[in-house]
Structures are given as structure tokens and as C-alpha cells.
């Protein structure tokens, strides 16, 4: 053996087994190979199926509103609650579900979520009245909160390092695909089979997910805290009240008693939540996460993604049909344009991170691309052609795809696995809240700009939704001007947020060393299913930690050497320079 290498005995702290919920010894965190096992692959498939079906159900239900409203003799506002009720319930309970997953078990909450989702979808398909349908959609939203919050936590607990980055990139791509395909797929199902069977098919998807949980390993926080029921109640009430006010404000008016009451109740509940959580022994809202600069930066990135794409996704189809004059089917095909980069680019973003590209640089660039796509889309005119729309829609989709590939994995890298459910729930809550906010603000901006020009709020509401009396060219031009101003405002917000995100997520020590050291290596012999020697220079260690977004003095993040994953905190590993060599010393 070369004098420049030192063969070391395994550290007992590194190889000490821990117990899983099934009672088997598990030293996988310390010594697992980079390649995921078959059970890990099965887990990923089950989670991705959930993140495909649920966004499709969320975005596709709006297509069924005209037909179900006519069949159930429901007015437009009541029928709209089929979408709003599901959305508000899922958003309000996402963080609660994530915290419950850490305490009760992530697979258990995922399984309960699939049961609630399937039952709600079946009840919606059989609903005899609009009231029963709304109750069924609320139940579906409860299930969606459990599936999405625990799904992200399961991925964080199952994978680590480079494989985790790829897994979350796949999750982002799948969720984007489901969100984009929802209206088109639901439209085809409703046109051929009716709106009831469109809900029934999602019931089948829920049953498939339930069966899939048999292949998922149970994980939970090692410490078993008590449930914070008062905090859960205040959090759910606060989020539900605020999002109800935001979603109903543009249509009912901000001075409407329901809107004012919901908004005030939400603010009071959230105001009471902070002191309650400070006193709680095991708070459901971990305030420590909100004090972590990088984690907050990735939350802001998730919010910016929603702002940059949510308004276009929700309101552009109406403009394309009137005044642009495209048919419903053609409009659906046009709205599929952003889907291609949203599906293809998340794995590319993950690969760039794994090759050493700074996460701060990549997320800043992705958000600026979203901003540029919104500016480019302001070329809208009443006689716009598909060729003109291809470029800006692909650009917006490219920015969303790049950001979706890294936001979840990088945010999860900032927290301990014991709080994976809470962090995943917080991410999904922020996304859902941002989507609700952008829908309200985008619509309110269009209405305000049109009302200023037309002098009539009622006429402005008709024009904003594409209902232009007599195909009036002047009204179409006013609507186009309002779209341009709103798109430029969204672009400015995204650009400002991109700079803020870049500063927040950038950590000390992101710069690479100008010259890597000479061929200095470290030989490690971990105890696992065999011996996997790993040779790695100290410069390579720095580069790998940089890819994971680890500050140089933070020993809480994993350090991967070849096929060996070492948790520095548990094994107390320190890398030292001694006579031109790297050696491992125990503290």
C-alpha cells in the first residue's frame, strides 16, 4: 500500500445500526451505495404516481364545471366551489398532514390520504346534488393534503445525496406534467364519458396508490413528539380563512361580508398561532425552519414559480378563445406547449447540480427565465398566431422546469430528516397559497385595469373572462392592454424575487478552490454488505459538499465518498491536512 494512503478501521459510530419501524437493523444511511435498491425504486414510482394524479385532478376539475352545473342545477358560483373547496382544503391541511407524517409515520399518512382521496372521488362521481358534490370534494382535498405532504417526506427519508436530487427532480417534472395535462385529459374524458366518470377514474387512481403503499417502507421521526392539536387547529383555520378571502375577493368584492369575515378570522388565527407555537413543547409549525435563511430562500423560489406561471395557466385559455378566436381543442393544445420543457428540464437541472453548478446560480437563472417569458408573452394581440406563442410559452415552461428540478431537493437538504414531513408540508402549503394568491391578484389586476378604462365593473368582469359583446374590437384591445401591463408586472416581481432568492440561498464557501490540491487521497473501508474502498481527494470532497449546498463548517450534511455515504455529525469525521496527506481523525 502506498505511503500516501492510510487504511483505517471502521468507526463504530459510523456503522452502528438503528432500528426501523419493521424491527430490522438499518445502517443504510451510513453505508448505502449510490444506486437505489429495488424497494427504493418502487417507492419512487408510487410517489410519482401520486404527484401525477393529484395535480391532474386539481387543474382538470374546472373543465367539468359547465356540465355538472347544468346537470345538478347549480349556479356558476356554487359550481366553482367544486374547484375552490378542493383547493382550499388541501392547502389548509398540507402542513398539518406533514407534521402528522413525522409523528405517526409517513407511509401511514400517505395511505390514509389515498383512502380519503379515493372515497372522495367516488362520492363525487355519485353525488346527487351540488351540496353532496362539494362535501365530496372537501374530502378529496383532505386526502390530497396527506398524499402530497407525506410523499415529499418519504422521498427525503428514502434517498440522500445525488440520488435525492434526482428523485425530487422527477417529482417536480411529474407534478408539472400532471398540472399541465389536467385540463386536456379531463376535457377528453368528459367529452367522451361524462363528468361523473372523470371523477370515477381518479377514484381508481387512488386505489392504485393505496395498493402501491405496500411496497413503501415506513419511516417517522426518531423522536416521537406529542401532537400539537391546538396549533393544528389554529393553522388550518388561519390558512383556510385567508385563502378563502383571497379566492373570493375578486368575484364578490373585497368589502363583501364573507370576504372580510374570512380574512379577519384567518389573520386572528395566524396571529394567535405564533405565541401558541412558542409555548408548545412540540409545535406543529416549526418556527426554527423559518429562521433558516437558505430554507426561506427556497420557499421564496417556490412562491415565485407559482407567481410566474399560475396566472398564465389559469387566464390565458380564456383570452385564446376570445378575443383570439381559437377553438377549445386548439386552446388545449397551445396550453400544452409549456409542458415539454416542464417535463424534460427538471432532470437536466438535477444533473447540473450534481456536476457542480451552484444551486444559487441555477435557481436565479431559472426565475429570470420565467420573468423573461412573461415579458415575451406581452406580444399578445387579438389576432395572435400559434407561431408567436410558441417562444414565450416554451420559455416560461423552461424556467418552471429548471426551478422545479431543484427547489424541493435543495430545501430538504437544509433540514433534518426527522422534520422532513413538516418541511414538505410547508413547501406544499407555500405553493398552494401562492397559487391561490396569484389567481386572485392576476384576476384582480385585469379587472382593475379594465374598470379604469371602461368605467363599469360589470362590463370589465365580462371582458376579463373573454365574454366580449359583439366581438367588439375596441374592448378586445383594452383587454390586450390590460394583459400586457399585468404580464410586465409579474415579470418585474419575478426578476426582483430572483435576485432575493439568489442572495438568500447562496452560502459561504460556494467558491471552488482555484487550484485543486495534488493527488492527495483518503482511503476508507466502511463495514457494509462488503468492503467498498473509496478514493477521493479533499478537493473533490469540497466540490461534492458544494453541490449539496453545504457551508464548509456545517457538519450536519452528508459527505459522500464514491459509493460510501458518511454522516459527519454521527461519525464525527474531520478532514485534516498532515504532511501533504488527508487523514481522518476522530474528535
Amino acid at each position: 500500500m502506498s505511503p500516501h494512503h492510510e487504511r483505517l478501521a471502521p468507526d463504530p459510530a459510523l456503522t452502528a445500526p438503528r432500528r426501523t419501524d419493521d424491527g430490522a437493523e438499518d445502517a443504510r444511511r451510513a453505508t448505502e451505495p449510490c444506486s437505489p435498491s429495488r424497494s427504493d425504486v418502487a417507492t419512487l414510482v408510487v410517489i410519482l404516481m401520486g404527484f401525477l394524479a393529484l395535480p391532474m385532478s386539481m387543474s382538470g376539475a374546472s373543465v367539468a364545471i359547465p356540465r355538472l352545473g347544468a346537470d345538478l342545477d347549480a349556479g356558476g358560483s356554487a359550481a366553482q366551489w367544486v374547484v375552490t373547496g378542493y383547493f382550499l382544503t388541501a392547502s389548509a391541511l398540507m402542513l398539518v398532514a406533514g407534521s402528522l407524517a413525522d409523528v405517526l409515520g409517513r407511509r401511514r399518512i400517505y395511505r390514509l390520504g389515498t383512502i380519503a382521496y379515493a372515497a372522495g372521488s367516488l362520492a363525487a362521481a355519485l353525488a346527487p346534488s351540488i351540496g353532496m358534490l362539494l362535501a365530496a370534494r372537501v374530502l378529496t382535498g383532505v386526502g390530497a393534503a396527506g398524499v402530497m405532504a407525506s410523499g415529499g417526506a418519504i422521498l427525503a427519508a428514502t434517498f440522500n445525496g445525488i440520488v435525492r436530487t434526482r428523485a425530487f427532480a422527477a417529482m417536480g417534472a411529474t407534478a408539472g406534467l400532471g398540472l399541465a395535462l389536467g385540463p386536456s385529459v379531463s376535457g377528453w374524458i368528459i367529452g367522451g364519458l361524462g363528468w361523473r366518470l372523470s371523477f370515477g377514474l381518479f377514484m381508481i387512481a387512488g386505489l392504485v396508490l393505496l395498493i402501491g403503499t405496500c411496497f413503501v417502507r415506513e419511516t417517522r421521526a426518531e423522536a416521537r413528539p406529542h401532537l400539537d392539536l391546538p396549533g393544528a387547529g389554529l393553522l388550518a383555520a388561519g390558512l383556510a380563512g385567508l385563502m378563502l378571502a383571497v379566492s373570493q375577493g375578486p368575484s364578490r368584492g373585497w368589502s363583501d361580508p364573507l370576504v372580510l369575515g374570512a380574512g379577519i378570522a384567518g389573520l386572528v388565527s395566524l396571529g394567535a398561532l405564533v405565541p401558541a407555537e412558542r409555548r408548545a413543547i412540540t409545535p406543529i409549525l416549526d418556527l426554527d425552519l423559518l429562521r433558516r435563511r437558505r430554507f426561506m430562500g427556497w420557499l421564496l423560489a417556490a412562491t415565485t414559480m407559482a407567481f410566474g406561471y399560475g396566472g398564465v395557466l389559469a387566464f390565458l385559455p380564456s383570452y385564446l378563445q376570445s378575443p383570439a378566436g381559437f377553438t377549445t381543442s386548439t386552446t388545449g393544445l397551445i396550453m400544452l406547449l409549456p409542458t415539454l420543457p416542464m417535463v424534460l428540464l427538471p432532470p437536466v437541472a438535477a444533473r447540473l447540480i450534481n456536476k457542480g453548478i451552484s444551486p444559487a446560480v441555477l435557481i436565479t437563472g431559472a426565475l429570470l427565465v420565467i420573468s423573461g417569458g412573461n415579458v415575451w408573452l406581452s406580444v399578445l394581440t387579438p389576432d395572435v398566431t400559434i407561431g408567436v406563442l410558441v417562444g414565450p410559452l416554451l420559455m416560461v415552461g423552461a424556467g418552471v422546469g429548471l426551478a422545479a428540478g431543484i427547489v424541493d431537493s435543495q430545501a430538504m437538504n437544509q433540514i433534518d430528516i426527522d422534520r422532513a414531513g413538516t418541511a414538505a408540508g410547508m413547501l406544499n402549503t407555500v405553493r398552494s397559497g401562492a397559487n391561490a394568491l396569484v389567481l386572485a391578484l392576476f384576476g384582480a389586476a385585469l379587472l382593475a385595469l379594465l374598470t379604469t378604462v371602461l368605467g363599469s365593473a360589470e362590463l370589465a368582469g365580462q371582458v376579463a373572462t373573454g365574454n366580449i359583446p359583439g366581438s367588439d374590437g375596441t374592448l378586445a384591445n383594452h383587454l390586450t392592454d390590460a394583459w400586457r401591463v399585468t404580464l410586465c408586472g409579474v415579470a418585474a416581481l419575478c426578476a426582483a424575487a430572483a435576485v432575493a432568492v439568489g442572495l438568500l440561498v447562496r452560502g459561504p464557501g460556494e467558491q471552488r478552490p482555484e487550484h485543486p490540491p495534488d493527488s492527495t487521497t483518503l482511503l476508507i473501508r466502511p463495514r457494509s454488505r462488503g468492503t467498498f474502498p473509496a478514493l477521493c481527494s479533499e478537493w473533490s470532497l469540497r466540490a461534492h459538499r458544494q453541490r449539496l449546498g453545504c457551508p464548509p463548517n456545517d457538519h450536519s450534511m452528508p459527505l459522500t465518498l464514491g459509493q460510501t455515504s458518511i454522516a459527519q455529525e454521527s461519525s464525527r469525521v474531520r478532514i485534516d491536512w498532515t504532511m501533504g496527506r488527508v487523514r481522518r481523525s476522530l474528535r
Side-chain angles (χ1 to χ4, degrees):
M1 183 171 57
S2 170
H4 292 285
H5 299 89
E6 181 180 354
R7 188 176 296 273
L8 299 171
D11 185 354
L14 174 62
T15 57
R18 65 180 177 85
R19 294 275 176 182
T20 64
D21 289 83
D22 297 328
E25 292 188 352
D26 182 15
R28 190 170 63 86
R29 284 289 161 195
T31 58
E32 82 172 334
C34 288
S35 298
S37 66
R38 290 183 179 180
S39 63
D40 291 345
V41 173
T43 297
L44 178 61
V45 171
V46 172
I47 301 304
L48 293 185
M49 289 170 59
F51 275 82
L52 176 66
L54 271 66
M56 285 181 64
S57 174
M58 185 177 293
S59 63
S62 59
V63 181
I65 288 177
R67 291 200 181 187
L68 66 87
D71 290 348
L72 300 178
D73 193 24
S77 59
Q80 185 63 41
W81 272 95
V82 172
V83 177
T84 305
Y86 173 93
F87 186 78
L88 288 178
T89 306
S91 302
L93 296 180
M94 204 79 72
L95 184 54
V96 176
S99 298
L100 290 175
D102 286 338
V103 177
L104 302 178
R106 291 148 189 155
R107 184 183 66 177
R108 177 180 295 178
I109 296 300
Y110 191 92
R111 181 174 288 170
L112 292 174
T114 61
I115 294 173
Y117 181 80
S121 298
L122 177 61
L126 301 176
S129 65
I130 188 64
M132 291 295 294
L133 179 59
L134 293 180
R137 292 295 287 173
V138 169
L139 178 59
T140 309
V142 173
V147 170
M148 298 188 74
S150 58
I154 289 172
L155 289 187
T158 303
F159 303 101
N160 57 16
I162 294 176
V163 182
R164 178 193 285 180
T165 303
R166 293 172 179 169
F168 275 105
M171 188 188 78
T174 304
L177 178 63
L179 193 66
L181 290 180
S184 299
V185 173
S186 294
W188 296 333
I189 295 173
I190 292 168
L193 303 175
W195 66 269
R196 291 186 182 275
L197 282 180
S198 70
F199 290 120
L201 290 177
F202 284 114
M203 180 270 295
I204 296 176
L207 293 178
V208 172
L209 293 177
L210 177 60
I211 296 172
T213 58
C214 297
F215 304 96
V216 177
R217 183 175 61 92
E218 180 65 286
T219 62
R220 57 168 58 92
E222 293 185 2
R224 299 292 299 275
H226 297 289
L227 295 179
D228 179 19
L229 295 180
L234 288 172
L235 178 64
L239 292 177
L242 283 182
M243 284 186 285
L244 176 61
V246 167
S247 63
Q248 297 300 303
S251 59
R252 288 176 168 267
W254 297 103
S255 59
D256 182 83
L258 174 63
V259 174
L260 285 176
I264 293 173
L267 290 174
V268 170
S269 297
L270 292 180
L273 176 65
V274 175
E277 295 304 271
R278 286 176 177 169
R279 293 192 300 268
I281 299 176
T282 55
I284 196 167
L285 177 63
D286 194 340
L287 299 178
D288 179 62
L289 291 178
L290 302 180
R291 289 191 287 267
R292 298 192 179 194
R293 176 172 56 86
R294 294 187 189 86
F295 185 77
M296 287 299 295
W298 292 110
L299 287 183
L300 179 58
T303 304
T304 308
M305 285 172 54
F307 265 82
Y309 181 57
V312 172
L313 178 67
F315 291 95
L316 186 59
S318 297
Y319 184 94
L320 294 179
Q321 293 177 69
S322 177
F326 292 104
T327 64
T328 303
S329 59
T330 303
T331 298
L333 292 175
I334 292 173
M335 294 307 298
L336 288 177
L337 285 172
T339 304
L340 184 63
M342 288 171 62
V343 172
L344 296 180
L345 290 184
V348 174
R351 193 173 299 115
L352 291 174
I353 293 295
N354 291 335
K355 287 184 178 295
I357 299 298
S358 166
V361 171
L362 187 55
I363 190 61
T364 302
L367 298 181
L368 289 176
V369 169
I370 296 175
S371 175
N374 277 273
V375 172
W376 192 358
L377 192 56
S378 63
V379 298
L380 279 175
T381 60
D383 57 350
V384 67
T385 63
I386 296 178
V388 173
L389 295 171
V390 170
L393 289 179
L394 287 177
M395 188 172 185
V396 172
V400 174
L402 289 172
I406 63 173
V407 166
D408 287 82
S409 62
Q410 292 299 315
M412 287 297 187
N413 281 345
Q414 311 305 318
I415 56 96
D416 303 324
I417 294 301
D418 281 357
R419 293 187 284 184
T422 301
M426 192 174 294
L427 274 168
N428 285 298
T429 299
V430 166
R431 282 198 191 94
S432 300
N435 280 321
L437 187 60
V438 72
L439 292 181
L441 294 180
F442 202 100
L446 292 177
L447 286 173
L449 291 169
L450 288 170
T451 302
T452 302
V453 175
L454 301 178
S456 170
E458 181 179 357
L459 180 59
Q462 295 178 2
V463 174
T465 56
N467 185 12
I468 301 177
S471 300
D472 192 316
T474 302
L475 293 178
N477 289 331
H478 289 323
L479 176 59
T480 302
D481 292 339
W483 258 92
R484 290 172 177 170
V485 173
T486 304
L487 287 171
C488 290
V490 170
L493 286 175
C494 289
V499 176
V501 167
L503 294 175
L504 286 172
V505 303
R506 182 181 177 85
E510 276 218 18
Q511 299 295 329
R512 288 180 180 271
E514 294 183 2
H515 303 286
D518 297 331
S519 56
T520 305
T521 56
L522 172 68
L523 179 62
I524 293 178
R525 294 184 58 193
R527 186 170 64 202
S528 181
R529 298 189 183 94
T531 298
F532 299 97
L535 295 176
C536 188
S537 71
E538 199 273 345
W539 179 80
S540 297
L541 301 184
R542 289 184 183 177
H544 180 75
R545 288 179 63 76
Q546 176 183 337
R547 289 197 295 269
L548 294 179
C550 308
N553 297 322
D554 183 2
H555 301 294
S556 62
M557 298 298 293
L559 173 65
T560 300
L561 305 176
Q563 291 182 315
T564 305
S565 178
I566 298 176
Q568 280 196 313
E569 187 174 45
S570 62
S571 60
R572 304 182 303 281
V573 172
R574 185 172 69 246
I575 304 299
D576 293 328
W577 285 99
T578 303
M579 300 298 292
R581 294 180 300 170
V582 178
R583 65 179 177 85
R584 188 181 72 169
S585 61
L586 298 180
R587 289 185 288 191

